[in-house]
mmCIF file of all heavy atoms in Angstrom:
data_model
loop_
_atom_site.group_PDB
_atom_site.id
_atom_site.type_symbol
_atom_site.label_atom_id
_atom_site.label_comp_id
_atom_site.label_asym_id
_atom_site.label_seq_id
_atom_site.Cartn_x
_atom_site.Cartn_y
_atom_site.Cartn_z
ATOM 1 N N LEU A 201 2.537 17.198 5.905
ATOM 2 C CA LEU A 201 3.621 17.217 5.006
ATOM 3 C C LEU A 201 4.564 16.162 5.319
ATOM 4 O O LEU A 201 5.029 15.546 4.358
ATOM 5 C CB LEU A 201 4.378 18.649 5.052
ATOM 6 C CG LEU A 201 3.523 19.807 4.618
ATOM 7 C CD1 LEU A 201 4.360 21.025 4.785
ATOM 8 C CD2 LEU A 201 2.980 19.659 3.225
ATOM 9 N N PHE A 202 4.729 15.845 6.580
ATOM 10 C CA PHE A 202 5.589 14.653 6.942
ATOM 11 C C PHE A 202 4.973 13.337 6.369
ATOM 12 O O PHE A 202 5.745 12.488 5.859
ATOM 13 C CB PHE A 202 5.640 14.588 8.438
ATOM 14 C CG PHE A 202 6.297 13.298 8.945
ATOM 15 C CD1 PHE A 202 7.591 13.021 8.961
ATOM 16 C CD2 PHE A 202 5.407 12.309 9.450
ATOM 17 C CE1 PHE A 202 8.203 11.888 9.439
ATOM 18 C CE2 PHE A 202 6.031 11.153 9.957
ATOM 19 C CZ PHE A 202 7.326 10.877 9.889
ATOM 20 N N TYR A 203 3.690 13.227 6.412
ATOM 21 C CA TYR A 203 3.064 12.085 5.927
ATOM 22 C C TYR A 203 3.272 12.007 4.371
ATOM 23 O O TYR A 203 3.603 10.926 3.916
ATOM 24 C CB TYR A 203 1.516 12.141 6.228
ATOM 25 C CG TYR A 203 0.702 11.037 5.421
ATOM 26 C CD1 TYR A 203 0.596 9.859 5.937
ATOM 27 C CD2 TYR A 203 0.135 11.351 4.289
ATOM 28 C CE1 TYR A 203 0.062 8.819 5.221
ATOM 29 C CE2 TYR A 203 -0.558 10.410 3.592
ATOM 30 C CZ TYR A 203 -0.650 9.205 4.067
ATOM 31 O OH TYR A 203 -1.332 8.190 3.365
ATOM 32 N N ILE A 204 3.101 13.123 3.708
ATOM 33 C CA ILE A 204 3.281 13.113 2.235
ATOM 34 C C ILE A 204 4.688 12.769 1.845
ATOM 35 O O ILE A 204 4.938 11.941 0.938
ATOM 36 C CB ILE A 204 2.929 14.555 1.724
ATOM 37 C CG1 ILE A 204 1.465 14.748 1.814
ATOM 38 C CG2 ILE A 204 3.192 14.566 0.210
ATOM 39 C CD1 ILE A 204 1.043 16.164 1.530
ATOM 40 N N ILE A 205 5.612 13.251 2.570
ATOM 41 C CA ILE A 205 7.073 12.998 2.144
ATOM 42 C C ILE A 205 7.608 11.632 2.566
ATOM 43 O O ILE A 205 8.341 10.963 1.856
ATOM 44 C CB ILE A 205 7.990 14.137 2.801
ATOM 45 C CG1 ILE A 205 7.689 15.444 2.241
ATOM 46 C CG2 ILE A 205 9.443 13.734 2.666
ATOM 47 C CD1 ILE A 205 8.482 16.726 2.756
ATOM 48 N N LEU A 206 7.125 11.155 3.834
ATOM 49 C CA LEU A 206 7.714 9.901 4.304
ATOM 50 C C LEU A 206 6.747 8.723 4.426
ATOM 51 O O LEU A 206 6.921 7.770 3.806
ATOM 52 C CB LEU A 206 8.442 10.189 5.639
ATOM 53 C CG LEU A 206 9.251 9.064 6.263
ATOM 54 C CD1 LEU A 206 10.298 8.621 5.407
ATOM 55 C CD2 LEU A 206 9.673 9.394 7.603
ATOM 56 N N LEU A 207 5.715 9.035 5.170
ATOM 57 C CA LEU A 207 4.822 7.858 5.546
ATOM 58 C C LEU A 207 3.976 7.354 4.293
ATOM 59 O O LEU A 207 3.856 6.195 4.070
ATOM 60 C CB LEU A 207 3.870 8.246 6.705
ATOM 61 C CG LEU A 207 3.108 7.119 7.329
ATOM 62 C CD1 LEU A 207 3.982 5.935 7.702
ATOM 63 C CD2 LEU A 207 2.279 7.638 8.478
ATOM 64 N N GLY A 208 3.605 8.292 3.488
ATOM 65 C CA GLY A 208 2.859 8.134 2.337
ATOM 66 C C GLY A 208 3.557 7.184 1.337
ATOM 67 O O GLY A 208 3.055 6.054 0.930
ATOM 68 N N PRO A 209 4.804 7.490 0.954
ATOM 69 C CA PRO A 209 5.659 6.651 0.132
ATOM 70 C C PRO A 209 5.857 5.335 0.730
ATOM 71 O O PRO A 209 5.826 4.328 -0.035
ATOM 72 C CB PRO A 209 6.982 7.395 0.051
ATOM 73 C CG PRO A 209 6.658 8.886 0.233
ATOM 74 C CD PRO A 209 5.497 8.901 1.180
ATOM 75 N N ILE A 210 6.139 5.126 2.051
ATOM 76 C CA ILE A 210 6.238 3.866 2.695
ATOM 77 C C ILE A 210 5.005 2.972 2.355
ATOM 78 O O ILE A 210 5.091 1.768 1.915
ATOM 79 C CB ILE A 210 6.629 3.878 4.142
ATOM 80 C CG1 ILE A 210 7.906 4.517 4.372
ATOM 81 C CG2 ILE A 210 6.476 2.512 4.712
ATOM 82 C CD1 ILE A 210 8.185 4.823 5.882
ATOM 83 N N ILE A 211 3.840 3.566 2.646
ATOM 84 C CA ILE A 211 2.630 2.825 2.498
ATOM 85 C C ILE A 211 2.358 2.433 1.040
ATOM 86 O O ILE A 211 1.916 1.280 0.749
ATOM 87 C CB ILE A 211 1.439 3.527 3.020
ATOM 88 C CG1 ILE A 211 1.432 3.591 4.563
ATOM 89 C CG2 ILE A 211 0.052 2.886 2.587
ATOM 90 C CD1 ILE A 211 0.420 4.560 5.227
ATOM 91 N N GLU A 212 2.624 3.344 0.102
ATOM 92 C CA GLU A 212 2.308 3.137 -1.317
ATOM 93 C C GLU A 212 3.398 2.246 -1.893
ATOM 94 O O GLU A 212 2.895 1.357 -2.836
ATOM 95 C CB GLU A 212 2.346 4.603 -1.968
ATOM 96 C CG GLU A 212 1.194 5.365 -1.655
ATOM 97 C CD GLU A 212 1.235 6.758 -2.285
ATOM 98 O OE1 GLU A 212 2.312 7.081 -2.973
ATOM 99 O OE2 GLU A 212 0.270 7.461 -2.223
ATOM 100 N N GLU A 213 4.553 2.243 -1.493
ATOM 101 C CA GLU A 213 5.610 1.230 -2.036
ATOM 102 C C GLU A 213 5.304 -0.175 -1.614
ATOM 103 O O GLU A 213 5.345 -1.157 -2.340
ATOM 104 C CB GLU A 213 6.909 1.691 -1.600
ATOM 105 C CG GLU A 213 7.553 2.918 -2.271
ATOM 106 C CD GLU A 213 7.493 2.780 -3.737
ATOM 107 O OE1 GLU A 213 8.078 1.822 -4.299
ATOM 108 O OE2 GLU A 213 6.821 3.634 -4.438
ATOM 109 N N ILE A 214 4.869 -0.287 -0.313
ATOM 110 C CA ILE A 214 4.425 -1.536 0.198
ATOM 111 C C ILE A 214 3.217 -2.197 -0.642
ATOM 112 O O ILE A 214 3.147 -3.272 -1.056
ATOM 113 C CB ILE A 214 4.187 -1.592 1.670
ATOM 114 C CG1 ILE A 214 5.331 -1.369 2.461
ATOM 115 C CG2 ILE A 214 3.538 -2.932 2.080
ATOM 116 C CD1 ILE A 214 5.179 -1.179 3.950
ATOM 117 N N ALA A 215 2.321 -1.253 -0.894
ATOM 118 C CA ALA A 215 0.978 -1.652 -1.547
ATOM 119 C C ALA A 215 1.277 -2.002 -3.083
ATOM 120 O O ALA A 215 0.755 -2.991 -3.567
ATOM 121 C CB ALA A 215 -0.027 -0.480 -1.398
ATOM 122 N N PHE A 216 1.993 -1.037 -3.771
ATOM 123 C CA PHE A 216 2.070 -1.201 -5.214
ATOM 124 C C PHE A 216 3.407 -1.671 -5.701
ATOM 125 O O PHE A 216 3.463 -2.053 -6.947
ATOM 126 C CB PHE A 216 1.736 0.194 -5.837
ATOM 127 C CG PHE A 216 0.415 0.622 -5.446
ATOM 128 C CD1 PHE A 216 0.246 1.605 -4.451
ATOM 129 C CD2 PHE A 216 -0.835 -0.054 -5.986
ATOM 130 C CE1 PHE A 216 -1.107 1.976 -4.223
ATOM 131 C CE2 PHE A 216 -2.069 0.416 -5.649
ATOM 132 C CZ PHE A 216 -2.240 1.369 -4.705
ATOM 133 N N ARG A 217 4.439 -1.597 -5.043
ATOM 134 C CA ARG A 217 5.789 -2.034 -5.645
ATOM 135 C C ARG A 217 6.269 -3.458 -4.977
ATOM 136 O O ARG A 217 6.890 -4.195 -5.562
ATOM 137 C CB ARG A 217 6.764 -1.054 -5.433
ATOM 138 C CG ARG A 217 7.309 -0.515 -6.713
ATOM 139 C CD ARG A 217 6.300 0.386 -7.500
ATOM 140 N NE ARG A 217 6.030 1.592 -6.721
ATOM 141 C CZ ARG A 217 5.123 2.439 -7.105
ATOM 142 N NH1 ARG A 217 4.413 2.333 -8.131
ATOM 143 N NH2 ARG A 217 4.953 3.595 -6.413
ATOM 144 N N LEU A 218 6.012 -3.591 -3.723
ATOM 145 C CA LEU A 218 6.374 -4.903 -3.006
ATOM 146 C C LEU A 218 5.876 -6.062 -3.759
ATOM 147 O O LEU A 218 6.637 -7.051 -3.983
ATOM 148 C CB LEU A 218 5.841 -4.938 -1.556
ATOM 149 C CG LEU A 218 6.384 -6.105 -0.746
ATOM 150 C CD1 LEU A 218 7.892 -6.124 -0.549
ATOM 151 C CD2 LEU A 218 5.682 -6.111 0.570
ATOM 152 N N PRO A 219 4.627 -6.174 -4.277
ATOM 153 C CA PRO A 219 4.203 -7.395 -4.936
ATOM 154 C C PRO A 219 4.647 -7.608 -6.305
ATOM 155 O O PRO A 219 4.420 -8.746 -6.888
ATOM 156 C CB PRO A 219 2.525 -7.016 -5.094
ATOM 157 C CG PRO A 219 2.326 -5.983 -4.193
ATOM 158 C CD PRO A 219 3.540 -5.119 -4.072
ATOM 159 N N LEU A 220 5.583 -6.642 -6.927
ATOM 160 C CA LEU A 220 6.099 -6.796 -8.240
ATOM 161 C C LEU A 220 7.039 -8.080 -8.245
ATOM 162 O O LEU A 220 7.356 -8.616 -9.322
ATOM 163 C CB LEU A 220 6.734 -5.539 -8.688
ATOM 164 C CG LEU A 220 5.842 -4.374 -8.802
ATOM 165 C CD1 LEU A 220 6.579 -3.335 -9.457
ATOM 166 C CD2 LEU A 220 4.452 -4.721 -9.422
ATOM 167 N N LYS A 221 7.632 -8.403 -7.007
ATOM 168 C CA LYS A 221 8.319 -9.654 -6.866
ATOM 169 C C LYS A 221 7.314 -10.669 -6.300
ATOM 170 O O LYS A 221 7.190 -10.655 -5.057
ATOM 171 C CB LYS A 221 9.491 -9.570 -6.012
ATOM 172 C CG LYS A 221 10.597 -8.651 -6.561
ATOM 173 C CD LYS A 221 11.554 -9.342 -7.495
ATOM 174 C CE LYS A 221 12.843 -8.536 -7.810
ATOM 175 N NZ LYS A 221 13.755 -9.351 -8.691
ATOM 176 N N PRO A 222 6.557 -11.407 -7.122
ATOM 177 C CA PRO A 222 5.335 -12.052 -6.522
ATOM 178 C C PRO A 222 5.485 -13.305 -5.825
ATOM 179 O O PRO A 222 5.163 -14.379 -6.139
ATOM 180 C CB PRO A 222 4.537 -12.312 -7.885
ATOM 181 C CG PRO A 222 5.605 -12.546 -8.922
ATOM 182 C CD PRO A 222 6.710 -11.583 -8.552
ATOM 183 N N THR A 223 6.073 -13.124 -4.554
ATOM 184 C CA THR A 223 6.088 -14.279 -3.627
ATOM 185 C C THR A 223 4.855 -14.241 -2.856
ATOM 186 O O THR A 223 4.107 -13.270 -2.837
ATOM 187 C CB THR A 223 7.335 -14.144 -2.701
ATOM 188 O OG1 THR A 223 7.150 -12.978 -1.903
ATOM 189 C CG2 THR A 223 8.669 -13.995 -3.470
ATOM 190 N N ARG A 224 4.624 -15.264 -2.182
ATOM 191 C CA ARG A 224 3.383 -15.450 -1.391
ATOM 192 C C ARG A 224 3.215 -14.302 -0.342
ATOM 193 O O ARG A 224 2.210 -13.697 -0.179
ATOM 194 C CB ARG A 224 3.388 -16.908 -0.661
ATOM 195 C CG ARG A 224 2.187 -17.138 0.123
ATOM 196 C CD ARG A 224 2.228 -18.528 0.844
ATOM 197 N NE ARG A 224 1.181 -18.840 1.502
ATOM 198 C CZ ARG A 224 1.125 -19.942 2.337
ATOM 199 N NH1 ARG A 224 2.124 -20.634 2.417
ATOM 200 N NH2 ARG A 224 -0.095 -20.235 3.011
ATOM 201 N N LEU A 225 4.403 -13.920 0.342
ATOM 202 C CA LEU A 225 4.327 -12.940 1.420
ATOM 203 C C LEU A 225 4.124 -11.588 0.867
ATOM 204 O O LEU A 225 3.374 -10.829 1.332
ATOM 205 C CB LEU A 225 5.704 -13.026 2.155
ATOM 206 C CG LEU A 225 5.783 -12.074 3.385
ATOM 207 C CD1 LEU A 225 4.598 -12.291 4.382
ATOM 208 C CD2 LEU A 225 7.126 -12.119 4.049
ATOM 209 N N ASN A 226 4.948 -11.257 -0.299
ATOM 210 C CA ASN A 226 4.834 -9.980 -0.916
ATOM 211 C C ASN A 226 3.398 -9.735 -1.423
ATOM 212 O O ASN A 226 2.842 -8.663 -1.252
ATOM 213 C CB ASN A 226 5.877 -9.875 -2.014
ATOM 214 C CG ASN A 226 7.354 -9.850 -1.607
ATOM 215 O OD1 ASN A 226 7.528 -9.588 -0.404
ATOM 216 N ND2 ASN A 226 8.192 -9.834 -2.486
ATOM 217 N N LEU A 227 2.840 -10.719 -2.074
ATOM 218 C CA LEU A 227 1.451 -10.674 -2.648
ATOM 219 C C LEU A 227 0.463 -10.358 -1.473
ATOM 220 O O LEU A 227 -0.486 -9.503 -1.565
ATOM 221 C CB LEU A 227 1.185 -11.816 -3.441
ATOM 222 C CG LEU A 227 1.860 -11.991 -4.729
ATOM 223 C CD1 LEU A 227 1.511 -13.369 -5.331
ATOM 224 C CD2 LEU A 227 1.339 -10.849 -5.749
ATOM 225 N N ALA A 228 0.593 -11.175 -0.440
ATOM 226 C CA ALA A 228 -0.333 -11.099 0.688
ATOM 227 C C ALA A 228 -0.347 -9.626 1.287
ATOM 228 O O ALA A 228 -1.476 -9.082 1.593
ATOM 229 C CB ALA A 228 -0.054 -12.094 1.733
ATOM 230 N N ILE A 229 0.907 -9.124 1.615
ATOM 231 C CA ILE A 229 0.994 -7.804 2.128
ATOM 232 C C ILE A 229 0.517 -6.747 1.286
ATOM 233 O O ILE A 229 -0.295 -5.823 1.612
ATOM 234 C CB ILE A 229 2.511 -7.553 2.560
ATOM 235 C CG1 ILE A 229 2.878 -8.457 3.729
ATOM 236 C CG2 ILE A 229 2.666 -6.145 3.005
ATOM 237 C CD1 ILE A 229 4.340 -8.474 4.011
ATOM 238 N N GLY A 230 0.830 -6.812 -0.021
ATOM 239 C CA GLY A 230 0.437 -5.902 -1.047
ATOM 240 C C GLY A 230 -1.025 -5.811 -1.254
ATOM 241 O O GLY A 230 -1.739 -4.723 -1.254
ATOM 242 N N ILE A 231 -1.711 -7.080 -1.257
ATOM 243 C CA ILE A 231 -3.190 -7.134 -1.437
ATOM 244 C C ILE A 231 -3.793 -6.404 -0.237
ATOM 245 O O ILE A 231 -4.754 -5.674 -0.324
ATOM 246 C CB ILE A 231 -3.580 -8.556 -1.462
ATOM 247 C CG1 ILE A 231 -3.114 -9.161 -2.852
ATOM 248 C CG2 ILE A 231 -5.125 -8.684 -1.362
ATOM 249 C CD1 ILE A 231 -3.390 -10.595 -2.947
ATOM 250 N N SER A 232 -3.395 -6.797 0.990
ATOM 251 C CA SER A 232 -4.021 -6.192 2.172
ATOM 252 C C SER A 232 -3.901 -4.764 2.217
ATOM 253 O O SER A 232 -4.867 -3.981 2.643
ATOM 254 C CB SER A 232 -3.475 -6.838 3.557
ATOM 255 O OG SER A 232 -2.008 -6.562 3.655
ATOM 256 N N PHE A 233 -2.732 -4.167 1.926
ATOM 257 C CA PHE A 233 -2.451 -2.719 1.943
ATOM 258 C C PHE A 233 -3.351 -2.001 0.947
ATOM 259 O O PHE A 233 -4.040 -1.009 1.147
ATOM 260 C CB PHE A 233 -1.066 -2.399 1.642
ATOM 261 C CG PHE A 233 -0.251 -2.249 2.868
ATOM 262 C CD1 PHE A 233 -0.063 -3.392 3.711
ATOM 263 C CD2 PHE A 233 0.481 -1.070 3.312
ATOM 264 C CE1 PHE A 233 0.756 -3.343 4.837
ATOM 265 C CE2 PHE A 233 1.249 -1.010 4.398
ATOM 266 C CZ PHE A 233 1.365 -2.139 5.143
ATOM 267 N N GLN A 234 -3.537 -2.704 -0.334
ATOM 268 C CA GLN A 234 -4.358 -2.164 -1.380
ATOM 269 C C GLN A 234 -5.780 -2.019 -0.904
ATOM 270 O O GLN A 234 -6.542 -1.143 -1.189
ATOM 271 C CB GLN A 234 -4.212 -2.850 -2.701
ATOM 272 C CG GLN A 234 -2.851 -2.588 -3.314
ATOM 273 C CD GLN A 234 -2.831 -2.976 -4.830
ATOM 274 O OE1 GLN A 234 -3.826 -3.024 -5.479
ATOM 275 N NE2 GLN A 234 -1.639 -3.309 -5.111
ATOM 276 N N ILE A 235 -6.230 -3.141 -0.348
ATOM 277 C CA ILE A 235 -7.665 -3.292 0.243
ATOM 278 C C ILE A 235 -8.082 -2.055 1.105
ATOM 279 O O ILE A 235 -9.058 -1.421 0.894
ATOM 280 C CB ILE A 235 -7.917 -4.563 0.811
ATOM 281 C CG1 ILE A 235 -7.938 -5.778 -0.230
ATOM 282 C CG2 ILE A 235 -9.214 -4.517 1.610
ATOM 283 C CD1 ILE A 235 -8.098 -7.138 0.447
ATOM 284 N N VAL A 236 -7.151 -1.794 2.138
ATOM 285 C CA VAL A 236 -7.384 -0.755 3.006
ATOM 286 C C VAL A 236 -7.433 0.642 2.364
ATOM 287 O O VAL A 236 -8.154 1.443 2.705
ATOM 288 C CB VAL A 236 -6.476 -0.867 4.256
ATOM 289 C CG1 VAL A 236 -6.579 0.339 5.150
ATOM 290 C CG2 VAL A 236 -6.601 -2.172 5.013
ATOM 291 N N ILE A 237 -6.499 0.754 1.481
ATOM 292 C CA ILE A 237 -6.329 2.016 0.681
ATOM 293 C C ILE A 237 -7.603 2.314 -0.092
ATOM 294 O O ILE A 237 -8.146 3.372 0.023
ATOM 295 C CB ILE A 237 -5.160 2.014 -0.311
ATOM 296 C CG1 ILE A 237 -3.790 2.124 0.474
ATOM 297 C CG2 ILE A 237 -5.207 3.205 -1.312
ATOM 298 C CD1 ILE A 237 -2.565 2.006 -0.316
ATOM 299 N N PHE A 238 -8.159 1.311 -0.771
ATOM 300 C CA PHE A 238 -9.323 1.462 -1.604
ATOM 301 C C PHE A 238 -10.486 1.700 -0.690
ATOM 302 O O PHE A 238 -11.496 2.510 -0.998
ATOM 303 C CB PHE A 238 -9.607 0.276 -2.539
ATOM 304 C CG PHE A 238 -8.478 0.241 -3.610
ATOM 305 C CD1 PHE A 238 -7.852 -0.869 -3.902
ATOM 306 C CD2 PHE A 238 -8.324 1.419 -4.365
ATOM 307 C CE1 PHE A 238 -6.922 -0.912 -4.954
ATOM 308 C CE2 PHE A 238 -7.439 1.356 -5.461
ATOM 309 C CZ PHE A 238 -6.644 0.321 -5.643
ATOM 310 N N LEU A 239 -10.632 0.955 0.406
ATOM 311 C CA LEU A 239 -11.768 1.096 1.370
ATOM 312 C C LEU A 239 -11.720 2.597 1.898
ATOM 313 O O LEU A 239 -12.811 3.181 2.049
ATOM 314 C CB LEU A 239 -11.628 0.149 2.524
ATOM 315 C CG LEU A 239 -11.912 -1.362 2.276
ATOM 316 C CD1 LEU A 239 -11.695 -2.212 3.420
ATOM 317 C CD2 LEU A 239 -13.395 -1.481 1.785
ATOM 318 N N ASN A 240 -10.544 3.096 2.175
ATOM 319 C CA ASN A 240 -10.446 4.474 2.551
ATOM 320 C C ASN A 240 -10.855 5.481 1.533
ATOM 321 O O ASN A 240 -11.554 6.494 1.851
ATOM 322 C CB ASN A 240 -9.029 4.730 3.147
ATOM 323 C CG ASN A 240 -8.898 6.117 3.680
ATOM 324 O OD1 ASN A 240 -9.433 6.414 4.747
ATOM 325 N ND2 ASN A 240 -8.082 7.030 2.985
ATOM 326 N N ILE A 241 -10.427 5.200 0.347
ATOM 327 C CA ILE A 241 -10.754 6.149 -0.842
ATOM 328 C C ILE A 241 -12.268 6.255 -1.006
ATOM 329 O O ILE A 241 -12.862 7.271 -1.236
ATOM 330 C CB ILE A 241 -9.983 5.664 -2.104
ATOM 331 C CG1 ILE A 241 -8.619 5.905 -2.065
ATOM 332 C CG2 ILE A 241 -10.750 6.330 -3.289
ATOM 333 C CD1 ILE A 241 -7.861 5.412 -3.272
ATOM 334 N N PHE A 242 -12.898 5.091 -0.881
ATOM 335 C CA PHE A 242 -14.406 5.048 -1.101
ATOM 336 C C PHE A 242 -15.144 5.295 0.146
ATOM 337 O O PHE A 242 -16.393 5.139 0.279
ATOM 338 C CB PHE A 242 -14.818 3.720 -1.711
ATOM 339 C CG PHE A 242 -14.352 3.432 -3.110
ATOM 340 C CD1 PHE A 242 -13.344 2.486 -3.383
ATOM 341 C CD2 PHE A 242 -14.938 4.211 -4.131
ATOM 342 C CE1 PHE A 242 -12.965 2.395 -4.720
ATOM 343 C CE2 PHE A 242 -14.633 4.080 -5.473
ATOM 344 C CZ PHE A 242 -13.470 3.197 -5.741
ATOM 345 N N GLU A 243 -14.339 5.760 1.212
ATOM 346 C CA GLU A 243 -14.992 6.167 2.550
ATOM 347 C C GLU A 243 -15.831 5.125 3.140
ATOM 348 O O GLU A 243 -16.822 5.329 3.852
ATOM 349 C CB GLU A 243 -15.819 7.494 2.335
ATOM 350 C CG GLU A 243 -14.957 8.634 1.884
ATOM 351 C CD GLU A 243 -15.808 9.927 1.702
ATOM 352 O OE1 GLU A 243 -17.086 9.753 1.757
ATOM 353 O OE2 GLU A 243 -15.103 11.002 1.515
ATOM 354 N N ILE A 244 -15.488 3.825 3.001
ATOM 355 C CA ILE A 244 -16.146 2.800 3.556
ATOM 356 C C ILE A 244 -15.479 2.564 5.037
ATOM 357 O O ILE A 244 -16.287 2.128 5.974
ATOM 358 C CB ILE A 244 -15.882 1.359 2.801
ATOM 359 C CG1 ILE A 244 -16.465 1.530 1.471
ATOM 360 C CG2 ILE A 244 -16.466 0.215 3.590
ATOM 361 C CD1 ILE A 244 -16.221 0.391 0.476
#
């Protein structure tokens, strides 16, 4: 429940909202976070 309330939002905001200001750093971090999220979803 702690993960859902706190850690989950931190990871998801970095992955999906940080890149909305598309600087080189924001895009790089957002892309890497999304890659790991999708690899985890597909159980790779």
Side-chain angles (χ1 to χ4, degrees):
L201 296 179
F202 167 78
Y203 170 79
I204 294 171
I205 292 174
L206 186 61
L207 194 54
I210 292 174
I211 292 174
E212 290 174 356
E213 287 304 304
I214 292 175
F216 299 104
R217 245 72 66 184
L218 185 66
L220 300 189
K221 295 272 190 179
T223 65
R224 185 182 179 187
L225 181 60
N226 288 352
L227 289 168
I229 295 174
I231 289 170
S232 66
F233 270 61
Q234 287 193 32
I235 288 173
V236 175
I237 287 172
F238 290 129
L239 288 176
N240 183 67
I241 287 174
F242 291 108
E243 299 182 346
I244 297 174

